[in-house]
Amino acid sequence: MSVSDKNKLLEKMQERVNLIFKDTDCGAILAKGLSMKPDDIINMVTDSGLRGRGGAGFPTGIKWRGAASASGNKKYVICNADEGEPGTFKDRRILDEQSDKVITGMAICAYAVGASEGYIYLRGEYNFLKDKLQSNCDRWNKIFNSKGINFSVNVRSGSGAYVCGEETALIESMEGNRGEPRNKPPFPVGAGYMNEPTVVNNVETLAYVATIIEKGADYFKSIGTKDSMGGKVFSVSGDCSVKGVYELPLGMTIEEFVNIFGDGDTKAVQVGGASGVCVPRKNFATTVIGFEGVPTGGSMMLFNSSRSMYHVLKNFLEFFEEESCGQCTPCRVGCQQLLKGIEAIRAGEKPMSYLDELRKLAATMSVASKCGLGQSVASPFNSITEHFREEICY
Amino acid sequence: MTTNKSLSEAIAKHGTRRESLLPVLQYVISKERWLKEDLLEDVAAAFGMSPSEVYGVATFYSFLDTEPRGRYVIRVCRTISCDMAGKSAIIDALKNELKVGVGETTPDGLFTLLETNCMGWCHQGPAMLVNDDVYTELNPESVVAVVQKYRNMEKQ
Ligand SMILES: Cc1cc2nc3c(=O)[nH]c(=O)nc-3n(C[C@H](O)[C@H](O)[C@H](O)COP(=O)(O)O)c2cc1C
Ligand code: SF4
Ligand code: FES
């Protein structure tokens, strides 16, 4: 396929989904939401099958139900715009172009769970967006005020720490602390920001809430598959013929994906960012992108046969080693040892069989680490070392 | 009380409740680019915290620098997509142009050269930040032009 044919095909595919980037009347969506009973909103979101778009894929309706039934003096809604996962940039575009939908989704969430304050936690790397986003918050706050809606939303900034995308680290950071993840439970829906019930949702999740209220649960369900309903906004980078941000239905195979985005020589796709899994060419046809196959926050990085997977893995491990908050030993020491370990094998200082020790270490990290950062290092490590063992060793 | 102008402004704007700590430090960074030790002590006094606790928070965040930084802090993305797009050539061009290594500041105090992790422009790499400004699809020539742009701004 030529690039222009690919673009045409993509346009057609996106036209079928086209929820996030299509302009719509958010004032009307808000009015529609507020005309419903809070409980009915939660049921509708549950029924839509919407699952968190930040990576973990937790059912949004169930999360909201938890916050709605929790008791507290005050409740909060936080939009997670920390977007630090390598290869992810879709939230930036959503906030740049469609922050109305995100804020509307937050207001509807607040109404449904009984929250009165909202925050958008924007990563420091996106400071260039901050003033624009805050002015839009100010504009909406006036609207909420004039309609007698007890809700306000404001922007808070991060300062360059990947782990602050983890929801409890994000909350610590907002409270003025080091962004070190908390033990869970308690979950934020019970005790989050200021120890009060707090919903933390991804940017894209909240934007989809607005479209679900607008178009109904059935419409959303009709896109995607039984286990992965709705659209998904993908961030596509690496060795591609076409790259950027695309909203597509969930449930495609990697092969279908690579046929459109690849450069004709794709040997591996890293799905879900540095903390996701690496799918080798031989598995493209059988691997589904979605919760039934490889779940993803939307990061798709393509590697062609000129790339060294040793180099890729090393780059990921350097990332984790630096971004580990250091709070718990399995992750702090584990990330270092995995990195040192592959370097030692490569340099011939350790035998190839040492890789199996390292794979065991990664597996231990996935059960013994305190938060998702340390727990997920095994995903790239074990998938890359399984499929590209020779490239790691020689 | 503090004699630091940026800190006074930050406190006037955000107050001294604990949840304002990051916004206050971020404001100072936006004006001064790094947090001096005596400033952190003033922050501690204003927030009723120990200086070591303030220091502990600041050092957790890579953008809250506690070491001397130039007026323009350059952060080149080193994560995989930018790396594959030619990040090393960008670093080399900057080292050559600025005559400093990564982690160093030019003697005139204008530029600090750093690397950073994925900054959300992977489809348009190599990418870098200069303070809050984003530059994408860089090549060894265009990155020198960016540096020159800031130098010219300083001359005016
Ligand atoms: C290390 C780490 C980083 C994370 N970064 C983000 C992020 O940048 N954005 C995000 O929405 N979720 C991120 N998450 C997931 C959040 O903890 C949380 O599950 C998510 O914000 C919930 O929203 P959702 O259910 O709408 O996806 C991260 C998790 C971990 C462990
Ligand atoms: S797993 Fe890593 S990032 Fe998470 S709490 Fe432990 S040390 Fe910190
Ligand atoms: S890899 Fe450089 S911006 Fe994401």
Side-chain angles (χ1 to χ4, degrees):
Chain A
M1 244 188 296
S2 73
V3 171
S4 78
D5 285 346
K6 286 180 176 186
N7 279 323
K8 269 188 220 135
L9 176 66
L10 267 172
E11 248 169 59
K12 243 173 68 206
M13 291 178 69
Q14 291 186 94
E15 200 45 52
R16 283 216 309 269
V17 193
N18 202 10
L19 295 170
I20 296 283
F21 295 109
K22 189 171 178 172
D23 290 334
T24 167
D25 181 354
C26 286
I29 297 176
L30 181 65
K32 185 169 170 194
L34 297 181
S35 73
M36 295 167 67
K37 286 206 202 74
D39 215 42
D40 292 340
I41 293 179
I42 297 179
N43 288 338
M44 186 169 175
V45 171
T46 307
D47 185 40
S48 74
L50 176 64
R51 294 170 63 162
R53 295 303 199 242
F58 193 81
T60 306
I62 295 177
K63 184 181 280 188
W64 289 17
R65 172 79 61 211
S69 55
S71 52
N73 299 315
K74 194 170 183 176
K75 296 183 187 178
Y76 298 94
V77 178
I78 297 173
C79 169
N80 188 342
D82 199 49
E83 188 160 68
E85 187 63 53
T88 316
F89 40 91
K90 45 113 189 160
D91 291 340
R92 167 176 57 73
R93 183 168 160 213
I94 297 173
L95 284 172
D96 197 9
E97 296 176 16
Q98 297 290 342
S99 60
D100 284 347
K101 274 187 196 150
V102 179
I103 294 169
T104 304
M106 291 177 78
I108 288 169
C109 172
Y111 171 68
V113 306
S116 56
E117 260 180 49
Y119 293 98
I120 301 174
Y121 186 94
L122 185 72
R123 67 185 308 212
E125 289 81 350
Y126 294 170
N127 271 345
F128 72 96
L129 258 179
K130 189 177 181 187
D131 288 347
K132 178 175 156 187
L133 195 55
Q134 181 63 48
S135 353
N136 205 25
C137 289
D138 295 342
R139 188 176 74 82
W140 277 96
N141 288 339
K142 283 199 195 107
I143 298 175
F144 298 145
N145 198 10
S146 71
K147 294 192 187 296
I149 301 165
N150 179 23
F151 182 63
S152 63
V153 52
N154 287 288
V155 181
R156 296 291 291 273
S157 296
S159 271
Y162 164 66
V163 73
C164 286
E166 196 281 339
E167 53 190 8
T168 61
L170 185 156
I171 288 167
E172 286 290 320
S173 169
M174 278 183 52
E175 291 178 355
N177 303 323
R178 291 164 67 85
E180 292 172 345
R182 298 174 179 172
N183 280 318
K184 293 195 268 189
F187 291 94
V189 288
Y193 184 53
M194 298 298 177
N195 243 354
E196 301 289 354
T198 304
V199 171
V200 182
N201 270 138
N202 175 253
V203 172
E204 182 186 339
T205 312
L206 290 160
Y208 272 127
V209 165
T211 70
I212 288 166
I213 299 295
E214 180 186 19
K215 297 185 181 279
D218 286 338
Y219 183 89
F220 190 75
K221 267 198 285 198
S222 71
I223 305 165
T225 68
K226 176 170 72 57
D227 294 315
S228 307
M229 290 165 188
K232 175 80 197 84
V233 185
F234 290 95
S235 312
V236 189
S237 71
D239 298 313
C240 301
S241 56
V242 194
K243 42 183 142 179
V245 176
Y246 296 91
E247 186 183 22
L248 299 166
L250 280 166
M252 297 169 77
T253 65
I254 304 261
E255 182 164 79
E256 291 171 285
F257 196 90
V258 163
N259 283 343
I260 301 173
F261 294 100
D263 63 358
D265 186 25
T266 311
K267 80 166 170 191
V269 181
Q270 180 75 18
V271 183
S275 67
V277 293
C278 181
V279 181
R281 187 186 284 153
K282 68 175 191 298
N283 295 348
F284 285 176
T286 50
T287 308
V288 172
I289 306 165
F291 298 107
E292 60 270 65
V294 277
T296 173
S299 165
M300 305 290 283
M301 296 188 287
L302 281 64
F303 305 115
N304 70 18
S305 57
S306 76
R307 304 298 176 182
S308 149
M309 295 311 286
Y310 169 78
H311 186 74
V312 171
L313 181 59
K314 184 164 171 273
N315 190 278
F316 290 166
L317 291 173
E318 285 165 349
F319 172 80
F320 288 122
E321 194 212 318
E322 190 177 302
E323 297 293 345
S324 164
C325 82
Q327 201 188 169
C328 67
T329 315
C331 169
R332 183 185 62 244
V333 180
C335 290
Q336 276 170 6
Q337 291 306 315
L338 293 179
L339 176 58
K340 274 197 193 161
I342 61 161
E343 286 172 339
I345 296 173
R346 183 72 163 207
E349 292 158 13
K350 293 273 183 195
M352 208 162 142
S353 58
Y354 188 62
L355 196 56
D356 299 312
E357 299 295 314
L358 295 177
R359 289 165 58 88
K360 275 189 231 157
L361 172 61
T364 305
M365 287 169 67
S366 60
V367 288
S369 297
K370 183 170 175 179
C371 87
L373 191 152
Q375 287 161 7
S376 61
V377 174
S379 304
F381 192 86
N382 287 352
S383 55
I384 295 176
T385 54
E386 179 188 342
H387 300 299
F388 298 97
R389 195 179 173 96
E390 326 71 55
E391 288 194 32
I392 305 303
C393 299
Y394 304 111
Chain B
M1 276 317 282
T2 178
T3 51
N4 182 291
K5 180 163 167 284
S6 309
L7 181 56
S8 312
E9 287 168 8
I11 289 174
K13 192 164 176 219
H14 297 288
T16 54
R17 297 218 316 238
R18 180 64 188 250
E19 59 274 26
S20 298
L21 181 59
L22 257 67
V24 163
L25 297 178
Q26 286 160 345
Y27 183 89
V28 175
I29 286 282
S30 75
K31 300 288 170 192
E32 314 206 341
R33 293 295 139 205
W34 68 288
L35 305 165
K36 296 178 186 68
E37 199 174 317
D38 54 352
L39 180 126
L40 288 174
E41 280 169 19
D42 290 353
V43 171
F47 278 75
M49 293 165 67
S50 74
S52 66
E53 203 182 352
V54 175
Y55 186 75
V57 172
T59 51
F60 185 86
Y61 297 92
S62 63
F63 286 8
L64 301 181
D65 291 297
T66 52
E67 278 166 45
R69 295 292 184 236
R71 226 195 319 252
Y72 300 100
V73 180
I74 303 176
R75 291 185 160 88
V76 180
C77 176
R78 67 167 149 229
T79 306
I80 195 72
S81 291
C82 287
D83 181 287
M84 297 194 300
K87 160 249 161 184
S88 302
I90 302 305
I91 289 282
D92 289 345
L94 285 169
K95 279 183 181 165
N96 187 42
E97 177 67 20
L98 300 173
K99 308 273 181 291
V100 294
V102 174
E104 293 173 357
T105 301
T106 53
D108 60 5
L110 268 191
F111 297 99
T112 301
L113 178 60
L114 300 174
E115 290 184 333
T116 194
N117 289 326
C118 179
M119 42 180 271
W121 294 89
C122 330
H123 59 318
Q124 292 177 14
M128 72 176 187
L129 289 168
V130 179
N131 296 344
D132 288 345
D133 300 336
V134 177
Y135 296 89
T136 58
E137 296 179 324
L138 293 163
N139 61 47
E141 292 78 46
S142 67
V143 78
V144 169
V146 171
V147 167
Q148 202 52 49
K149 184 178 93 178
Y150 287 99
R151 283 193 185 125
N152 291 341
M153 270 162 57
E154 282 303 308
K155 281 192 202 124
Q156 280 161 16

Coordinates of all heavy atoms in Angstrom, one line a residue, chain A residues 87 89 92 123 125-127 156-160 173-179 194 237 243-244 303 307 311 315 319 322-323, chain B residues 18-19 21-23 26 56-57 59-64 78-81 83-84 117-123 129 132 134:
Chain A
G87 N 6.5 6.6 24.5 CA 5.7 6.2 23.3 C 4.2 6.7 23.4 O 3.5 6.5 22.4
F89 N 1.5 9.9 23.6 CA 1.4 11.3 23.4 C 0.0 11.7 23.1 O -0.3 12.9 22.7 CB 2.4 11.9 22.4 CG 2.6 11.0 21.2 CD1 1.8 11.2 20.1 CD2 3.5 10.0 21.2 CE1 1.9 10.4 18.9 CE2 3.7 9.2 20.1 CZ 2.9 9.4 18.9
R92 N -1.9 14.4 25.3 CA -1.5 15.8 24.9 C -2.4 16.4 23.9 O -2.9 17.5 23.9 CB 0.0 15.8 24.5 CG 0.4 17.1 23.8 CD 1.9 17.2 23.5 NE 2.3 16.1 22.6 CZ 2.0 16.0 21.3 NH1 1.3 16.9 20.7 NH2 2.5 14.9 20.6
R123 N 1.5 16.9 33.3 CA 2.9 16.7 33.5 C 3.7 17.9 33.2 O 3.3 18.7 32.3 CB 3.4 15.5 32.6 CG 3.4 15.7 31.1 CD 3.7 14.5 30.3 NE 5.0 13.9 30.7 CZ 5.8 13.3 29.9 NH1 5.5 13.1 28.6 NH2 7.0 12.8 30.4
E125 N 6.3 18.4 31.5 CA 6.8 18.5 30.1 C 5.7 19.2 29.2 O 6.0 19.6 28.2 CB 7.0 17.1 29.6 CG 8.2 16.3 30.1 CD 8.0 15.7 31.5 OE1 7.0 16.0 32.1 OE2 8.9 15.0 32.0
Y126 N 4.5 19.2 29.7 CA 3.4 19.9 29.0 C 3.1 21.3 29.5 O 2.0 21.8 29.3 CB 2.1 19.0 29.0 CG 2.2 17.7 28.3 CD1 1.2 16.7 28.4 CD2 3.3 17.4 27.4 CE1 1.3 15.5 27.7 CE2 3.4 16.1 26.8 CZ 2.4 15.2 26.9 OH 2.5 14.0 26.3
N127 N 4.0 21.9 30.2 CA 3.8 23.2 30.7 C 3.3 24.2 29.7 O 2.6 25.1 30.0 CB 5.1 23.8 31.3 CG 5.2 23.4 32.8 OD1 4.2 23.0 33.4 ND2 6.4 23.5 33.4
R156 N -3.1 21.4 38.0 CA -1.9 21.2 38.8 C -0.8 20.6 38.0 O -1.1 19.9 37.1 CB -2.2 20.3 40.1 CG -3.3 20.9 41.0 CD -2.8 22.1 41.7 NE -1.8 21.8 42.7 CZ -2.0 21.4 44.0 NH1 -3.3 21.3 44.4 NH2 -1.0 21.1 44.8
S157 N 0.4 21.0 38.3 CA 1.5 20.5 37.4 C 2.4 19.5 38.1 O 2.6 19.6 39.3 CB 2.4 21.7 37.1 OG 1.7 22.6 36.3
G158 N 2.9 18.6 37.3 CA 3.9 17.7 37.7 C 5.3 18.4 37.5 O 5.4 19.5 37.0
S159 N 6.4 17.7 37.9 CA 7.7 18.3 37.7 C 8.7 17.2 37.2 O 9.8 17.2 37.7 CB 8.2 18.9 39.0 OG 7.8 20.3 39.0
G160 N 8.3 16.4 36.3 CA 9.3 15.5 35.7 C 9.5 14.3 36.6 O 10.6 14.1 37.1
S173 N 2.0 13.7 45.3 CA 2.6 14.9 44.7 C 1.7 16.1 44.9 O 2.1 17.2 45.2 CB 2.9 14.5 43.3 OG 3.2 15.7 42.5
M174 N 0.4 15.9 44.6 CA -0.6 17.0 44.8 C -0.6 17.5 46.2 O -1.0 18.6 46.5 CB -2.0 16.6 44.3 CG -2.1 16.7 42.8 SD -3.8 16.2 42.3 CE -4.8 17.3 43.4
E175 N -0.4 16.6 47.2 CA -0.4 17.0 48.6 C 0.9 17.7 49.0 O 1.1 18.0 50.2 CB -0.7 15.8 49.5 CG -2.1 15.2 49.3 CD -2.4 14.0 50.1 OE1 -1.5 13.5 50.8 OE2 -3.6 13.6 50.1
G176 N 1.9 17.8 48.1 CA 3.1 18.5 48.4 C 4.2 17.6 48.9 O 5.2 18.0 49.5
N177 N 4.1 16.3 48.6 CA 5.1 15.3 49.1 C 5.9 14.8 47.9 O 5.7 15.0 46.7 CB 4.4 14.1 49.7 CG 3.5 14.6 50.9 OD1 3.9 15.5 51.6 ND2 2.4 14.0 51.0
R178 N 6.9 14.0 48.3 CA 7.6 13.2 47.2 C 6.6 12.3 46.6 O 5.7 11.8 47.3 CB 8.7 12.3 47.9 CG 9.9 13.1 48.5 CD 10.7 12.3 49.4 NE 11.4 11.2 48.8 CZ 12.6 11.3 48.2 NH1 13.2 12.4 48.2 NH2 13.1 10.2 47.6
G179 N 6.7 12.1 45.3 CA 5.7 11.2 44.6 C 6.0 9.8 44.8 O 6.2 9.0 43.8
M194 N -6.2 14.1 50.1 CA -6.6 14.6 51.4 C -7.3 13.5 52.2 O -8.1 13.9 53.0 CB -7.4 15.9 51.3 CG -6.7 17.0 50.6 SD -5.3 17.5 51.6 CE -4.6 18.8 50.6
S237 N 4.5 5.4 17.0 CA 5.9 6.0 16.7 C 6.9 4.9 16.4 O 6.5 3.7 16.4 CB 6.4 6.8 17.9 OG 6.7 6.0 19.0
K243 N 2.8 8.0 11.1 CA 2.8 8.0 12.6 C 2.0 9.1 13.1 O 1.7 10.1 12.4 CB 4.2 7.9 13.1 CG 5.3 8.8 12.5 CD 6.6 8.5 13.2 CE 7.8 8.5 12.2 NZ 9.1 8.3 12.8
G244 N 1.7 9.1 14.4 CA 1.0 10.1 15.1 C -0.1 9.6 16.0 O 0.0 8.5 16.5
F303 N 9.5 -1.4 15.5 CA 10.9 -1.5 15.3 C 11.1 -2.4 14.0 O 10.5 -3.4 13.9 CB 11.6 -2.3 16.4 CG 11.3 -1.6 17.8 CD1 10.6 -2.3 18.8 CD2 11.8 -0.3 18.0 CE1 10.3 -1.6 20.0 CE2 11.5 0.3 19.3 CZ 10.8 -0.4 20.2
R307 N 17.0 -2.6 13.7 CA 17.1 -2.2 15.1 C 17.6 -3.3 16.0 O 17.2 -4.5 15.8 CB 15.8 -1.7 15.7 CG 15.2 -0.6 14.9 CD 16.0 0.7 15.0 NE 15.4 1.7 14.1 CZ 15.9 2.9 13.9 NH1 17.1 3.2 14.5 NH2 15.3 3.8 13.2
H311 N 19.5 -3.0 22.3 CA 19.6 -1.5 22.5 C 18.2 -1.0 23.0 O 18.1 -0.2 23.9 CB 19.9 -0.8 21.2 CG 20.1 0.6 21.3 ND1 21.2 1.2 21.8 CD2 19.3 1.7 20.9 CE1 21.1 2.5 21.8 NE2 19.9 2.8 21.2
N315 N 17.6 0.7 26.7 CA 17.0 2.0 26.8 C 15.8 2.0 27.8 O 15.7 2.9 28.6 CB 16.5 2.4 25.4 CG 16.1 3.9 25.3 OD1 15.0 4.2 25.7 ND2 17.0 4.8 24.9
F319 N 15.6 3.7 31.5 CA 14.4 4.5 31.9 C 13.8 4.1 33.3 O 13.6 4.9 34.2 CB 13.3 4.4 30.8 CG 12.0 5.0 31.2 CD1 11.8 6.3 31.0 CD2 10.9 4.2 31.7 CE1 10.5 6.9 31.3 CE2 9.7 4.7 32.0 CZ 9.5 6.1 31.8
E322 N 16.1 4.9 36.3 CA 16.1 6.3 36.7 C 14.7 6.7 37.3 O 14.7 7.5 38.2 CB 16.4 7.2 35.5 CG 16.6 8.6 35.9 CD 16.9 9.5 34.7 OE1 17.9 9.2 34.1 OE2 16.2 10.5 34.5
E323 N 13.6 6.2 36.8 CA 12.3 6.6 37.2 C 11.8 5.8 38.5 O 10.8 6.2 39.1 CB 11.3 6.5 36.1 CG 11.6 7.4 34.9 CD 11.5 8.9 35.2 OE1 10.9 9.3 36.3 OE2 12.0 9.7 34.4
Chain B
R18 N 0.5 23.1 52.7 CA 1.4 22.0 52.3 C 1.1 21.7 50.8 O 2.1 21.5 50.0 CB 1.2 20.8 53.2 CG 2.1 19.6 52.7 CD 3.6 20.0 52.9 NE 4.5 19.0 52.3 CZ 5.2 18.1 53.0 NH1 5.3 18.3 54.3 NH2 6.0 17.2 52.4
E19 N -0.1 21.7 50.4 CA -0.4 21.3 49.0 C 0.0 22.4 48.0 O 0.0 22.1 46.8 CB -1.9 20.9 48.8 CG -2.9 21.9 49.1 CD -3.3 22.0 50.6 OE1 -2.5 21.6 51.5 OE2 -4.5 22.4 50.8
L21 N 3.1 23.5 48.1 CA 4.6 23.4 48.1 C 5.1 23.2 46.7 O 6.0 24.0 46.2 CB 5.1 22.2 49.0 CG 6.6 22.0 49.0 CD1 7.3 23.3 49.5 CD2 7.0 20.9 49.9
L22 N 4.5 22.3 45.9 CA 5.0 22.1 44.5 C 4.7 23.4 43.7 O 5.6 23.8 43.0 CB 4.4 20.9 43.9 CG 5.5 19.7 43.8 CD1 5.8 19.2 45.2 CD2 5.0 18.6 42.9
P23 N 3.5 23.9 43.7 CA 3.3 25.1 42.9 C 4.3 26.2 43.3 O 4.7 27.0 42.4 CB 1.8 25.5 43.3 CG 1.2 24.2 43.6 CD 2.2 23.4 44.3
Q26 N 7.7 25.3 41.8 CA 7.6 25.4 40.4 C 7.6 26.8 39.9 O 8.2 27.1 38.9 CB 6.3 24.7 39.9 CG 6.3 23.2 39.9 CD 5.0 22.5 39.9 OE1 3.9 23.1 40.1 NE2 5.0 21.2 39.7
G56 N 14.1 17.2 50.4 CA 13.7 15.8 50.0 C 12.6 15.9 49.0 O 12.7 15.1 48.0
V57 N 11.7 16.8 49.1 CA 10.6 16.9 48.1 C 11.3 17.4 46.8 O 11.0 16.8 45.7 CB 9.5 17.8 48.6 CG1 8.5 18.0 47.4 CG2 8.8 17.2 49.8
T59 N 14.3 17.3 45.6 CA 15.2 16.4 44.9 C 14.5 15.2 44.2 O 15.0 14.5 43.4 CB 16.3 15.9 45.8 OG1 15.7 15.4 47.0 CG2 17.3 17.0 46.1
F60 N 13.2 15.0 44.7 CA 12.5 13.9 44.1 C 12.2 14.2 42.6 O 12.1 13.2 41.8 CB 11.2 13.6 44.8 CG 10.4 12.4 44.4 CD1 10.7 11.2 44.9 CD2 9.4 12.5 43.4 CE1 10.1 10.0 44.4 CE2 8.8 11.4 43.0 CZ 9.1 10.2 43.5
Y61 N 12.0 15.4 42.3 CA 11.4 15.8 41.0 C 12.6 16.3 40.1 O 13.3 17.2 40.4 CB 10.4 16.9 41.1 CG 9.2 16.4 41.9 CD1 9.1 16.6 43.3 CD2 8.1 15.7 41.3 CE1 8.0 16.1 44.0 CE2 7.1 15.2 42.0 CZ 7.0 15.4 43.4 OH 5.9 15.0 44.1
S62 N 12.7 15.7 38.9 CA 13.8 16.0 38.0 C 13.8 17.5 37.5 O 14.8 18.0 37.2 CB 14.0 15.0 36.9 OG 12.8 15.1 36.0
F63 N 12.6 18.1 37.5 CA 12.5 19.5 37.0 C 12.7 20.5 38.1 O 12.8 21.7 37.9 CB 11.2 19.8 36.3 CG 11.0 19.1 35.0 CD1 12.0 18.2 34.5 CD2 10.0 19.4 34.1 CE1 11.9 17.7 33.2 CE2 9.8 18.9 32.9 CZ 10.8 18.0 32.4
L64 N 12.8 20.0 39.4 CA 13.0 21.0 40.5 C 14.5 20.9 40.8 O 14.9 20.3 41.8 CB 12.2 20.6 41.7 CG 10.6 20.6 41.5 CD1 9.9 20.3 42.8 CD2 10.2 22.0 41.0
R78 N 15.9 11.3 25.5 CA 16.8 10.2 25.2 C 16.1 8.9 25.1 O 16.7 7.8 24.9 CB 17.8 10.1 26.3 CG 17.2 9.7 27.6 CD 18.1 9.2 28.7 NE 17.5 9.6 29.9 CZ 18.1 10.3 30.9 NH1 19.4 10.6 30.8 NH2 17.5 10.6 32.0
T79 N 14.7 8.9 25.1 CA 14.0 7.6 25.1 C 13.9 7.1 23.7 O 14.2 7.8 22.7 CB 12.6 7.8 25.8 OG1 12.9 8.3 27.1 CG2 11.9 6.5 26.0
I80 N 13.5 5.8 23.6 CA 13.8 5.0 22.4 C 13.3 5.6 21.0 O 14.1 5.6 20.1 CB 13.2 3.6 22.5 CG1 13.8 2.6 21.5 CG2 11.7 3.5 22.6 CD1 15.3 2.3 21.7
S81 N 12.1 6.2 21.0 CA 11.7 6.7 19.6 C 12.6 7.9 19.2 O 12.9 8.0 18.0 CB 10.2 7.1 19.7 OG 9.4 5.9 19.8
D83 N 15.6 8.4 20.3 CA 16.9 7.8 20.1 C 17.0 7.2 18.7 O 18.0 7.5 18.0 CB 17.1 6.7 21.1 CG 18.4 6.0 21.1 OD1 18.6 5.2 20.1 OD2 19.3 6.2 21.9
M84 N 16.0 6.5 18.2 CA 16.0 5.9 16.9 C 16.0 7.0 15.8 O 16.4 6.8 14.7 CB 14.9 4.9 16.7 CG 15.0 3.7 17.6 SD 13.9 2.4 17.2 CE 12.3 3.1 17.2
N117 N 13.7 12.0 29.9 CA 13.0 10.9 29.4 C 11.8 11.3 28.6 O 11.4 12.5 28.6 CB 12.5 10.0 30.6 CG 13.7 9.3 31.2 OD1 14.7 9.0 30.5 ND2 13.7 9.1 32.5
C118 N 11.2 10.4 27.9 CA 10.1 10.6 26.9 C 9.2 11.8 27.3 O 8.7 11.9 28.4 CB 9.2 9.4 26.7 SG 7.9 9.6 25.6
M119 N 9.1 12.8 26.4 CA 8.4 14.0 26.7 C 7.1 14.1 25.9 O 6.5 15.2 25.8 CB 9.3 15.2 26.5 CG 10.2 15.2 25.3 SD 11.3 16.6 25.1 CE 10.1 17.7 24.2
G120 N 6.7 13.0 25.2 CA 5.4 13.0 24.6 C 5.4 13.6 23.2 O 4.3 14.1 22.7
W121 N 6.5 13.5 22.5 CA 6.5 13.9 21.0 C 7.2 12.8 20.2 O 7.8 13.2 19.2 CB 7.2 15.2 20.9 CG 6.5 16.4 21.6 CD1 6.7 16.8 22.9 CD2 5.5 17.2 21.0 NE1 5.8 17.8 23.1 CE2 5.1 18.1 22.0 CE3 5.0 17.3 19.7 CZ2 4.2 19.1 21.8 CZ3 4.0 18.3 19.5 CH2 3.6 19.1 20.5
C122 N 7.0 11.6 20.6 CA 7.8 10.5 20.0 C 7.6 10.3 18.5 O 8.5 9.9 17.8 CB 7.3 9.2 20.7 SG 6.8 9.4 22.3
H123 N 6.5 10.8 18.0 CA 6.2 10.6 16.5 C 7.0 11.8 15.8 O 7.0 11.8 14.5 CB 4.8 10.7 16.2 CG 4.1 11.9 16.7 ND1 4.3 12.5 17.9 CD2 3.1 12.7 16.1 CE1 3.6 13.6 18.0 NE2 2.9 13.7 16.9
L129 N 13.3 20.0 25.0 CA 12.7 21.2 25.7 C 13.8 22.2 25.9 O 14.9 21.9 26.2 CB 12.1 20.8 27.1 CG 10.9 19.9 27.2 CD1 10.7 19.5 28.6 CD2 9.6 20.7 26.8
D132 N 10.3 25.7 29.0 CA 9.0 25.1 28.7 C 8.7 24.9 27.2 O 7.7 24.4 26.8 CB 7.9 25.9 29.4 CG 7.8 25.7 30.9 OD1 8.5 24.8 31.4 OD2 7.1 26.5 31.5
V134 N 8.9 23.6 23.4 CA 9.1 22.3 22.8 C 9.7 22.5 21.4 O 9.2 23.3 20.6 CB 7.8 21.6 22.7 CG1 7.9 20.3 22.0 CG2 7.2 21.4 24.1

